[in-house]
Amino acid sequence: MSDYSAEKIQGWAQLDDEPRFEAFLGLVVKHKEVWALSDDEGCLMVAMEDENCLPLWPLEIYAQQAVAEEWEGFSPLKITLDNFYENWAPGMSGDEIAAAVFPNDEGSCTVLDSEELAVTLKLQAKKAPIA
C-alpha cells in the first residue's frame, strides 16, 4: 500500500498485541475495509484460544504477506467496513467464529467476538483515525 512507508508497515506489524490492535482499529476505520484470506473453498479459519477464528488484517499488504509466508493457495479478500458491520460480524457471531485481529508473524493477536469488534470499530470511527 503506497499510503505508508515500508518502515511504518513493518513497525505496526512488530507492535505488541494491544498497540497492534489499536493500529488495526485506526487503519480499518481510515480505509473503511478489513482483509481476510480466501480460496475456492471459503475463508481461512484458524483455531486460537479454543475458538474457531477468522484472521483479519487492516491492510492488503499484511494479508499478502500472510499468504506468502504461511498460507499459500489463499488470496487476500477485501471486506468493506459496511459489509463487515451488516453481514460478516452477525454471520460470524451466529456461526460462533471469533475474529483473530491482525496476527503477527508468530500468530499472536487479539481474539474477540465479531460483534464486539464491530462495536469497537464504530466507537473508533468517532475518534480521529490513524495518520
Side-chain angles (χ1 to χ4, degrees):
M1 169 159 271
S2 60
D3 288 356
Y4 306 105
S5 69
E7 293 80 20
K8 188 161 272 264
I9 288 170
Q10 184 178 18
W12 283 320
Q14 294 175 343
L15 292 171
D16 289 335
D17 286 351
E18 188 172 330
R20 199 169 63 257
F21 178 72
E22 294 297 323
F24 171 91
L25 295 174
L27 288 163
V28 168
V29 167
K30 179 177 182 176
H31 296 283
K32 297 181 175 28
E33 61 192 29
V34 64
W35 292 84
L37 298 180
S38 68
D39 66 7
D40 293 339
E41 297 178 24
C43 286
L44 172 72
M45 296 292 163
V46 297
M48 301 186 94
E49 299 181 12
D50 297 327
E51 295 188 66
N52 284 327
C53 297
L54 175 70
L56 297 172
W57 291 271
L59 301 173
E60 183 179 16
I61 186 81
Y62 296 118
Q64 290 170 339
Q65 289 170 352
V67 167
E69 293 170 6
E70 191 168 349
W71 290 299
E72 191 174 314
F74 285 88
S75 300
L77 173 68
K78 179 170 79 170
I79 304 166
T80 65
L81 196 50
D82 286 341
N83 191 9
F84 182 78
Y85 291 151
E86 295 169 17
N87 300 305
W88 285 77
M92 289 169 63
S93 185
D95 292 339
E96 297 184 359
I97 298 170
V101 178
F102 202 172
N104 66 12
D105 292 344
E106 291 81 40
S108 180
C109 63
T110 301
V111 174
L112 71 160
D113 177 79
S114 59
E115 294 281 12
E116 183 180 348
L117 177 58
V119 168
T120 305
L121 284 164
K122 288 176 183 178
L123 291 173
Q124 179 69 32
K126 294 180 181 185
K127 301 177 186 176
I130 202 160

